[in-house]
Amino acid sequence: MTDFLYGFVAIAIIARLISLAISKRNEARLRAAGAAEYDVATTRILTVAHIGFYAASVIEGINRAAPVGTLTYAGIAIWVVSIVMLAGVIATLRDLWTVKLFISPNHEIRTSILYKICKHPNYFLNIAPELIGFGLALQAWGTLIVGLPIYAAILWRRIRAEEAAMKATFPAY
């Protein structure tokens, strides 16, 4: 793996750490406001899966000695777009956004353009392209082929739990 790719990996990790810091700050505020957390088990599984996907992609990229080429740039472009989408989701949800599933007593359903395009932009416009872009950039074919379906199954479980929590809170949801 080249220094360029190590730099990309460092930037990707820093971006995720920044998002986690935002999530932790918002989580503290939500808990203080009496928000209820749902589906804790899936959150833990998603955390392990996300870290595992990143780690497996990096290991595979190192073992493959992934060269920098068109696929690298395409993967990085997809990853960058996913991070822009994450920023949009965070900007839309503001203090409600966390990596965990919380419903706040003052929770409001957001209707921004992102939510008109996609009911779950954090999952479909951020996480899925983030993982695809990261794996492509590192040419981690095994991780993409094996890891994406596993992650998708876990994400589907999270989406079902989120839908149930929202419907229980907002009957018109």
Side-chain angles (χ1 to χ4, degrees):
M1 210 164 73
T2 66
D3 288 344
F4 177 78
L5 286 174
Y6 281 115
F8 166 66
V9 168
I11 290 167
I13 291 170
I14 290 167
R16 265 296 155 196
L17 290 174
I18 290 168
S19 73
L20 284 174
I22 293 167
S23 176
K24 285 292 191 188
R25 181 198 68 206
N26 290 345
E27 178 184 342
R29 289 178 182 164
L30 286 165
R31 286 188 189 283
E37 184 177 1
Y38 295 86
D39 202 29
V40 175
T42 302
T43 298
R44 289 185 182 132
I45 295 167
L46 274 172
T47 301
V48 170
H50 210 90
I51 293 167
F53 191 95
Y54 264 58
S57 293
V58 170
I59 290 166
E60 194 172 348
I62 290 169
N63 288 338
R64 185 178 300 283
V68 175
T70 304
L71 281 174
T72 305
Y73 297 125
I76 290 172
I78 293 167
W79 181 87
V80 167
V81 169
S82 79
I83 296 305
V84 169
M85 292 296 107
L86 175 60
V89 168
I90 292 171
T92 298
L93 292 178
R94 297 184 301 273
D95 291 348
L96 295 176
W97 184 84
T98 69
V99 297
K100 296 179 179 180
L101 178 52
F102 281 98
I103 303 291
S104 170
N106 4 337
H107 202 103
E108 299 170 358
I109 295 176
R110 304 295 187 195
T111 56
S112 77
I113 187 72
L114 284 176
Y115 287 87
K116 289 179 181 170
I117 293 170
C118 178
K119 191 170 186 179
H120 296 282
N122 193 59
Y123 306 133
F124 295 116
L125 302 178
N126 166 241
I127 292 175
E130 172 192 353
L131 297 177
I132 291 166
F134 193 79
L136 278 177
L138 300 175
Q139 298 170 35
W141 307 117
T143 304
L144 286 164
I145 291 168
V146 174
L148 278 180
I150 292 169
Y151 200 102
I154 302 164
L155 203 53
W156 182 248
R157 179 176 162 176
R158 164 47 69 81
I159 289 167
R160 287 194 337 251
E162 186 172 314
E163 289 286 319
M166 291 296 283
K167 285 178 184 170
T169 306
F170 304 101
Y173 182 80

